[in-house]
Amino acid sequence: MNYLDGLRRFKDKGVSVLVDGMECLEEEWSRIFETGEDGGFYMGDFICSEQGSLKEIRFDRVYLTDSGQTRR
C-alpha cells in the first residue's frame, strides 16, 4: 500500500503513471505487483523531463529468458 500511496502522490503532482503504455485507473495499479503464469512481471521506469524533473513513471511487462536476459 505504501508504494501505491507514493504513486498517488506523484500523480497528484502531475506525474503520469502508465501501465503497458496507457494511463489506467488507480484501482488497476495493483496489477503491477502480479507475476504472470508465463513468468512476466512489471518493471518500472522513471522518465525525466529535459529540465530534470520527474515526468512519467512507466510500468511495462518484462520476461526473463532461460539465458538470464530480459526481453519485452
Side-chain angles (χ1 to χ4, degrees):
M1 279 315 262
N2 288 336
Y3 193 83
L4 295 177
D5 289 340
L7 287 179
R8 194 171 296 112
R9 284 194 301 273
F10 281 120
K11 184 169 176 69
D12 290 344
K13 292 183 179 189
V15 175
S16 298
V17 178
L18 306 173
V19 179
D20 292 326
M22 302 184 66
E23 286 202 51
C24 64
L25 299 174
E26 289 182 31
E27 295 80 24
E28 299 174 5
W29 287 355
S30 61
R31 71 182 179 166
I32 65 174
F33 300 111
E34 298 172 358
T35 301
E37 291 180 17
D38 57 2
F41 60 94
Y42 282 96
M43 182 175 69
D45 290 318
F46 297 84
I47 310 301
C48 293
S49 68
E50 290 183 17
Q51 294 78 24
S53 60
L54 185 59
K55 177 176 128 177
E56 292 178 348
I57 303 172
R58 298 179 188 167
F59 293 93
D60 294 301
R61 186 170 289 280
V62 295
Y63 303 88
L64 292 177
T65 63
D66 291 338
S67 65
Q69 296 178 355
T70 303
R71 66 176 171 95
R72 274 190 147 163

